Amino acid sequence: MHKLLDNKNALGLLFMLPAGALLLVFLTYPLGLGTWLGFTDAKIGRTGEWIGLENFQFLIGDSVARLSLFNTLFYTIVASVLKFVLGLWLALLLNRSLPFKSFLRAIVLLPFIVPTALSAIAFWWIYDSQFSVVSWTLVKMGLIDRYIDFLGDPWMARASVIIANIWRGVPFVAISLLAGLQTIPPSLYEASSIDGATPWQQFWNVTLPLLTPIIAVVMTFSVLFTFTDFQLIYVLTRGGPLNATHLMATLSFQRGIPGGALGEGAALAMLMVPFLLAAILFSYFGLQRRAWQQGGSDK
Amino acid sequence: MEYLQSLPRRWVTLYIPLGAFLVVLLFPFYWMVMTSFKSNEELAAKAANPFWIVKPTLEHFEKLLFRTEYPQWLWNTVLISTVATFLSLFCAVLAAYAIERLRFRGSRQVGLSIFFAYLVPPSILFIPLALIVFKLGLFDSPWALILTYPTFLVPFCTWLLMGYFRTIPYELEECALIDGATRWQILVKIMLPLAVPGLISAGIFAFTLSWNEFIYALTFISSSENKTVPVGVITELVEGDVYHWGALMAGALLGSLPVAILYSFFVEYYVSGMTGAVKE
Amino acid sequence: MSNIKRRDLLKAGAGIAAGAAAPMIWVKNAYAQQWNNTPEKGAKLRVLRWSRFVQGDIDQYMKNVQAFTAKYGIEVRVDSESWEDVRPKAAVAANTGAGPDIILGTYDDANLYPEKLVEVTDLCNYLGKKYGGWYPACETYLKPDGKKWIGVPLGATGSMMVYRESQIKAAGFDSFPKDTDGFLKMMKALKDKGTPGGFALGHATGDANTWCHWLVWTFGGKMVDTSNKVVLDSPETIRALEYAKELYGTFIPGTLSWLDPNNNKAFLDGQVSVTNNGISIYYAAKNSKDPKINALQSDINHANYPAGPAGVSTACHLFMNQMIFKYTKYPKAAKEFLRFMMEDEQYGAWLQAGIGYTAQPLAAYEKNPIWSVDPKHTPYRDACKQLRPAGYAGKLGYASAGVLADFIIVDMVAEAASGSKSPKEAAERAQKRAERYYKV
């Protein structure tokens, strides 16, 4: 028994068992079915027949689907970059010595804690074309003379939902990076400053490299969740105005459920896979190559 | 080395940016708090000052707490989120250790394949998943959620923990191995304590993701007393095209603050825990 | 055409009903003998319905449910979801073969999975005979093959013109215009007076769909012809879109982002003088504790949609159905439940408690006091009677459901109105999008 437990492979498999079992039972069938559905003309309440690539051919030719692809890429790239920059900055700020440190760190998490369905509703009112508190303030301050149409103009709407997404996501990035920052020994900073390094050099040569594994993980997930975002868009705009904020996830839901075209909805969801896969692989292999941490040999 | 910075400089590089962040992040909450204490009449008027309340009222909280099943929903959500988080952390710790340290045959591929869980979004996955939930007899019970949430929690926690495990020097393990410790002992006595910040981060986010989840909670639960907060609040407080703003915001607040307070304790924990002493 | 015959029948039926003095008194005994149904022993029912739009609705509904349980000893559990969330749950039930016994759905839900539903022809025939007949739209939706009923209609929620009496008078109009030319004139005048109107052009499942379909239909356009061929891109549609463009110029800003609740808020705050909505705005004003809003109730009035060149004033109001799923263990009990709930004692009381939010599907209930107790309720009475299903003029099914869910008509009107596309382009694009669905 001892021998077995010491055998790396056997032990490895044993350790993987809980996670593996859960994922296998609850995911393989749905994932498989979800994938298969994309190749059929299944409808709600009616199993479909195999139609091969027809759904995909249609979607590639469909202007709304193409628009949703553009929207999703735009939304994800802009939101993720900003979340990373702002999140890192916030993490650096919170890492410094501050009064009420733990209190601050806790309340910073609030946007992330509020159930998305509810904070989305709050943002919906904040963006309301007649009642927005932001417009009200700007009008009172004399900066604008008409209420801003946050969600009525396609580009404004895109900006507005991105801002809501960033608001909700920055705490996630910040706190994760903060925990990573905490594991960097202060002695490294002390040593480098004795050697005459400026704060910027310290950041670039000490902080960033050591933080890279965590950055890779956090940003991959941030990208994954942003790319497949559903709830926020659904509540704020339902994909409007004129489909300007329809992401692939919201469009696939709209086509599949109220529209009843389950096969087409699944196919649209499948079209997300190459991008998500690329993000995962990039992070897994690319960024983690720099793991010259002890314990991780170069891959 | 904070002492090396002059005060004005601290203001510019620290306090002002931090202040700006806080204002932006917390402003919607300020608005939510105001809304939950404002009477319905004040809410409906465009002319009213959104930043101040003329006549604060507790009617929304009263409606929420006493005339809906909110306390029950809150309890359900806490229960489901907590158990799902612990379950996911348990699976993730083992999996992360196995992939990262044990390096068993095929660990690379397994590590990668876990992420395929994210390739199909829940907004489509929920239908085939519902079938499984029915077949297993879990429909309309908290277990439907407790067992399905790990499908999107475990991969994330695993990968996060892999990252943290990787920052722990291998020498510590080597020494322990030489001293005759078993893998399990190493995991529990060495790795886990050192990865506490990672565990807490992973736990916080697993908990939050479970807390916020909507579509599975909507689909797999029917009875009102089994609902979670996001679903219950929307069902009860949105009457067709009339939104009960005050009560909705009160619900959002009541649903977030207890969790925030809980978090503040954990934040305290990992702040005091790790200040680099271990690495020396 | 059989439609005309049916309308005559309805008129006759209504005439007979009118003969029996209000409140409704039905010749119960004669018809009661024709209904024979014994629910299964030990039956238990689970009902999923949309979350109430007005509190009175659910209060009375639950009272009715309790009366049912008291009479038959059958336990009934009622769960609610937000009305748009019932759809994914119904979809799951249809796909997985398990779930609530009865689901109250909307629009053409039943046409998406007709084979999964219990046939209720006997029940519908009984109710139709007893209560003056079903309106044509009910048959289009729930008797798709002309022979078998796949669900029991519950009614329809009308989305009518809601307006501020004082403001249209100030703009020079004594009564709400009955034709589209007058309507446009009035909207322009209202805008000049600083009291503009506003109609939803975002993805508002209720409000936007209703008025956009009205617009296209009232100019003679339609999605498909009777053989399900897409004919959306037509001169009539383009005329409708040009009209929409002019109309949009009179709206308050922001309507492109309006979802269902937006117009309620704006109207109650006095920012729009005209919009389309269910009776909920009036109801909110009546019940408001704010004196300013409460005072609005005397100024609010309702009207049917104006008629355009095609001479019809119809819209695709929100149709509600009741479906029994085949996987239920107690089909007989379920049928008995639906029968009970549709009988006058229960349904009539429910209509009243819902203060006019739902309009009846059966002609006899036109006499329900709710429609006469407040003259402002009357425009909503005929919502189910005059509604046209959104798949007009073809057959309902996946195609019509898909087209409605994808907001093809709403997007077309929005694109043309806001000027982001010319009316011709918008119509062409919508035609192409719709063709994909109807090629099945």
Side-chain angles (χ1 to χ4, degrees):
Chain A
M1 190 59 192
H2 232 298
K3 208 126 197 281
L4 186 68
L5 286 178
D6 269 344
N7 178 336
K8 265 219 238 177
N9 288 334
L11 199 59
L13 285 175
L14 191 65
F15 273 25
M16 286 302 302
L17 200 57
L22 257 177
L23 292 178
L24 232 83
V25 170
F26 286 101
L27 266 194
T28 24
Y29 176 70
L31 274 183
L33 185 61
T35 313
W36 181 78
L37 277 178
F39 292 99
T40 68
D41 61 352
K43 309 281 182 201
I44 298 277
R46 197 191 81 190
T47 46
E49 286 165 4
W50 183 270
I51 55 170
L53 294 175
E54 210 186 290
N55 279 331
F56 296 96
Q57 279 169 333
F58 164 69
L59 287 170
I60 292 178
D62 176 33
S63 60
V64 177
R66 283 205 307 265
L67 182 60
S68 74
L69 175 61
F70 167 76
N71 292 339
T72 314
L73 288 173
F74 181 77
Y75 180 78
T76 307
I77 292 174
V78 174
S80 300
V81 166
L82 286 174
K83 275 190 279 194
F84 172 63
V85 169
L86 292 173
L88 186 56
W89 190 10
L90 184 57
L92 290 171
L93 290 175
L94 290 174
N95 198 31
R96 314 242 317 247
S97 73
L98 290 169
F100 307 116
K101 229 203 278 223
S102 27
F103 173 70
L104 283 177
R105 291 168 178 183
I107 58 174
V108 150
L109 265 180
L110 274 177
F112 197 69
I113 294 175
V114 180
T116 315
L118 296 172
S119 63
I121 290 186
F123 260 93
W124 184 54
W125 195 333
I126 291 178
Y127 284 147
D128 188 282
S129 32
Q130 275 77 39
F131 287 89
S132 163
V133 59
V134 173
S135 299
W136 187 91
T137 316
L138 291 177
V139 165
K140 281 275 189 272
M141 280 165 59
L143 289 173
I144 57 174
D145 56 353
R146 271 192 350 169
Y147 271 48
I148 302 175
D149 192 10
F150 287 102
L151 300 175
D153 166 75
W155 281 104
M156 275 297 301
R158 287 185 177 122
S160 305
V161 297
I162 287 178
I163 290 177
N165 182 283
I166 292 177
W167 177 85
R168 209 189 47 187
V170 160
F172 166 79
V173 176
I175 296 291
S176 302
L177 293 181
L178 178 63
L181 283 175
Q182 304 267 277
T183 62
I184 300 178
S187 55
L188 287 178
Y189 291 116
E190 285 157 11
S192 60
S193 93
I194 288 171
D195 280 348
T198 67
W200 179 252
Q201 283 174 322
Q202 284 179 327
F203 173 73
W204 196 251
N205 295 310
V206 177
T207 315
L208 262 191
L210 286 176
L211 215 45
T212 305
I214 309 296
I215 293 181
V217 173
V218 166
M219 287 320 295
T220 308
F221 282 97
S222 177
V223 164
L224 283 179
F225 284 135
T226 309
F227 200 87
T228 56
D229 199 2
F230 177 80
Q231 194 67 25
L232 189 65
I233 305 286
Y234 186 72
V235 171
L236 284 177
T237 60
R238 295 281 157 86
L242 306 176
N243 297 314
T245 57
H246 242 323
L247 301 189
M248 290 162 85
T250 48
L251 187 61
S252 83
F253 179 83
Q254 181 179 289
R255 295 267 165 97
I257 309 299
L262 209 48
E264 189 177 314
L268 191 50
M270 294 284 302
L271 282 177
M272 291 199 256
V273 168
F275 299 95
L276 297 174
L277 207 50
I280 293 176
L281 291 175
F282 172 71
S283 160
Y284 201 73
F285 292 116
L287 287 173
Q288 293 183 359
R289 265 185 188 280
R290 293 166 103 241
W292 38 269
Q293 306 283 321
Q294 295 161 334
S297 52
D298 248 359
K299 297 156 212 11
Chain B
M1 283 171 321
E2 298 289 336
Y3 53 86
L4 290 178
Q5 277 195 334
S6 60
L7 199 56
R9 201 192 147 99
R10 266 173 82 76
W11 270 93
V12 168
T13 59
L14 178 58
Y15 293 127
I16 293 184
L18 190 59
F21 267 112
L22 286 175
V23 165
V24 172
L25 286 177
L26 297 180
F27 164 72
F29 282 98
Y30 177 73
W31 180 82
M32 284 161 72
V33 169
M34 291 290 110
T35 307
S36 49
F37 285 105
K38 260 193 203 178
S39 60
N40 280 329
E41 300 77 61
E42 271 192 70
L43 284 173
K46 171 179 168 176
N49 184 334
F51 290 109
W52 202 245
I53 312 172
V54 172
K55 272 189 319 177
T57 168
L58 286 175
E59 69 187 16
H60 303 305
F61 289 95
E62 186 222 4
K63 175 178 170 121
L64 195 62
L65 289 173
F66 298 116
R67 283 185 276 143
T68 64
E69 293 186 44
Y70 190 82
Q72 181 65 36
W73 299 332
L74 197 56
W75 169 248
N76 292 338
T77 320
V78 168
L79 180 71
I80 291 172
S81 303
T82 312
V83 180
T85 301
F86 274 104
L87 183 58
S88 307
L89 279 182
F90 175 72
C91 296
V93 163
L94 292 178
Y97 187 69
I99 298 175
E100 195 51 42
R101 286 296 203 239
L102 291 180
R103 302 287 170 77
F104 61 93
R105 236 189 351 235
S107 62
R108 296 265 95 207
Q109 291 74 8
V110 169
L112 201 49
S113 64
I114 289 187
F115 299 98
F116 294 165
Y118 290 130
L119 293 182
V120 182
S123 45
I124 285 291
L125 211 52
F126 75 96
I127 291 198
L129 199 50
L131 189 60
I132 306 243
V133 166
F134 273 118
K135 289 226 157 79
L136 292 176
L138 299 174
F139 188 72
D140 205 22
S141 102
W143 285 102
L145 300 180
I146 292 176
L147 292 177
T148 50
Y149 282 177
T151 57
F152 56 84
L153 296 177
V154 164
F156 166 63
C157 294
T158 307
W159 216 356
L160 194 68
L161 288 172
M162 275 166 62
Y164 281 110
F165 283 171
R166 195 169 298 155
T167 67
I168 296 175
Y170 195 57
E171 287 87 42
L172 291 171
E173 255 183 281
E174 279 181 326
C175 293
L177 276 176
I178 290 170
D179 283 348
T182 66
R183 290 290 185 171
W184 180 258
Q185 286 174 320
I186 292 177
L187 177 62
V188 172
K189 293 197 166 27
I190 299 184
M191 302 294 283
L192 280 187
L194 289 180
V196 159
L199 280 177
I200 293 185
S201 278
I204 285 181
F205 295 116
F207 189 85
T208 309
L209 286 177
S210 311
W211 188 264
N212 287 353
E213 203 283 326
F214 190 78
I215 196 146
Y216 289 172
L218 174 70
T219 320
F220 302 157
I221 305 280
S222 338
S223 318
S224 181
E225 66 270 8
N226 286 338
K227 288 188 180 169
T228 58
V229 164
V231 177
V233 163
I234 301 282
T235 314
E236 273 306 305
L237 297 175
V238 173
E239 276 181 18
D241 54 357
V242 176
Y243 282 53
H244 294 278
W245 292 100
L248 279 170
M249 294 301 112
L253 271 185
L254 284 183
S256 332
L257 282 182
V259 181
I261 294 175
L262 189 74
Y263 280 6
S264 64
F265 292 127
F266 282 114
V267 165
E268 175 64 63
Y269 188 164
Y270 78 65
V271 163
S272 61
M274 309 308 306
T275 36
V278 173
K279 297 305 161 39
E280 311 301 14
Chain C
M1 295 245 297
S2 52
N3 275 344
I4 301 176
K5 280 213 198 100
R6 216 164 278 135
R7 229 166 261 142
D8 288 340
L9 240 169
L10 288 180
K11 285 217 193 97
I16 295 174
M24 320 71 26
I25 297 171
W26 309 126
V27 186
K28 278 204 173 85
N29 298 325
Y31 285 118
Q33 283 148 10
Q34 288 179 284
W35 178 251
N36 252 330
N37 180 31
T38 336
E40 299 84 351
K41 268 201 116 42
K44 281 210 269 238
L45 290 178
R46 236 200 144 106
V47 176
L48 173 64
R49 53 157 291 173
W50 28 267
S51 189
R52 79 258 178 273
F53 286 81
V54 295
Q55 189 62 34
D57 157 6
I58 192 68
D59 289 339
Q60 184 63 40
Y61 193 84
M62 293 312 290
K63 280 208 197 97
N64 292 347
V65 167
Q66 277 151 17
F68 176 79
T69 306
K71 179 163 179 198
Y72 290 92
I74 298 177
E75 199 186 297
V76 178
R77 221 215 123 90
V78 178
D79 290 313
S80 317
E81 295 295 349
S82 229
W83 71 276
E84 287 187 274
D85 290 333
V86 173
R87 236 179 205 156
K89 296 194 96 155
V92 167
N95 259 37
T96 59
D101 304 286
I102 297 175
I103 296 189
L104 267 54
T106 49
Y107 283 132
D108 46 10
D109 284 348
N111 299 84
L112 289 181
Y113 27 82
E115 334 77 47
K116 305 277 164 102
L117 304 176
V118 170
E119 192 197 318
V120 286
T121 315
D122 49 355
L123 176 55
C124 289
N125 284 341
Y126 162 74
L127 288 170
K129 278 207 199 87
K130 187 165 177 184
Y131 292 104
W134 300 98
Y135 293 133
C138 301
E139 306 214 355
T140 318
Y141 269 118
L142 291 175
K143 201 165 120 178
D145 65 355
K147 299 202 241 357
K148 287 194 314 196
W149 285 88
I150 55 177
V152 180
L154 182 60
T157 296
S159 173
M160 302 296 177
M161 292 285 181
V162 182
Y163 63 95
R164 297 279 299 277
E165 193 112 55
S166 60
Q167 293 183 340
I168 70 165
K169 282 211 170 64
F173 289 80
D174 278 324
S175 65
F176 202 87
K178 290 214 163 28
D179 61 81
T180 45
D181 286 334
F183 181 62
L184 183 58
K185 273 210 203 85
M186 181 185 78
M187 293 292 282
K188 286 194 174 138
L190 283 169
K191 174 163 173 146
D192 288 335
K193 284 268 172 192
T195 54
F199 289 76
L201 281 172
H203 283 183
T205 319
D207 295 335
N209 269 320
T210 321
W211 90 270
C212 288
H213 278 84
W214 158 75
L215 181 67
V216 171
W217 287 337
T218 204
F219 276 83
K222 53 184 181 238
M223 177 61 77
V224 283
D225 62 17
T226 44
S227 60
N228 265 18
K229 174 158 160 283
V230 181
V231 294
L232 189 58
D233 185 8
S234 63
E236 291 87 11
T237 306
I238 296 185
R239 258 199 303 157
L241 294 179
E242 285 164 356
Y243 182 85
K245 200 161 172 185
E246 289 201 66
L247 208 56
Y248 184 74
T250 70
F251 288 175
I252 70 170
T255 49
L256 275 181
S257 68
W258 276 15
L259 301 179
D260 277 321
N262 289 68
N263 59 352
N264 295 53
K265 273 196 293 171
F267 190 93
L268 287 172
D269 194 45
Q271 293 184 48
V272 287
S273 51
V274 183
T275 188
N276 72 315
N277 207 64
I279 213 170
S280 43
I281 291 184
Y282 185 50
Y283 183 69
K286 266 179 155 173
N287 288 348
S288 173
K289 296 203 205 65
D290 178 348
K292 213 169 46 104
I293 296 185
N294 198 290
L296 278 182
Q297 60 175 297
S298 50
D299 195 25
I300 294 179
N301 212 337
H302 309 123
N304 281 313
Y305 290 89
V312 288
S313 150
T314 175
C316 63
H317 300 294
L318 184 61
F319 181 77
M320 326 256 212
N321 59 29
Q322 306 166 95
M323 312 179 275
I324 308 178
F325 280 77
K326 272 195 179 140
Y327 54 67
T328 177
K329 294 207 242 340
Y330 310 109
K332 291 215 192 115
K335 272 197 196 167
E336 192 61 29
F337 176 77
L338 289 182
R339 179 199 73 84
F340 185 82
M341 298 297 274
M342 293 303 290
E343 294 280 11
D344 180 33
E345 243 181 279
Q346 282 71 238
Y347 192 78
W350 184 70
L351 271 188
Q352 295 194 51
I355 57 120
Y357 207 87
T358 310
Q360 69 289 343
L362 291 158
Y365 286 112
E366 283 172 23
K367 292 296 159 187
N368 190 294
I370 189 64
W371 303 122
S372 41
V373 73
D374 182 341
K376 294 189 181 172
H377 292 170
T378 320
Y380 286 91
R381 182 193 60 202
D382 297 330
C384 197
K385 185 169 176 180
Q386 40 133 267
L387 87 85
R388 251 189 207 169
Y392 183 80
K395 284 178 73 69
L396 296 176
Y398 293 109
S400 59
V403 155
L404 188 66
D406 233 15
F407 295 103
I408 290 188
I409 287 201
V410 173
D411 282 344
M412 175 181 77
V413 174
E415 281 168 3
S418 65
S420 83
K421 290 210 161 46
S422 76
K424 182 96 190 79
E425 282 170 356
E428 275 170 9
R429 215 166 94 82
Q431 165 98 4
K432 268 192 68 181
R433 285 176 69 187
E435 271 169 352
R436 208 289 165 159
Y437 288 93
Y438 276 99
K439 79 166 174 54
V440 177

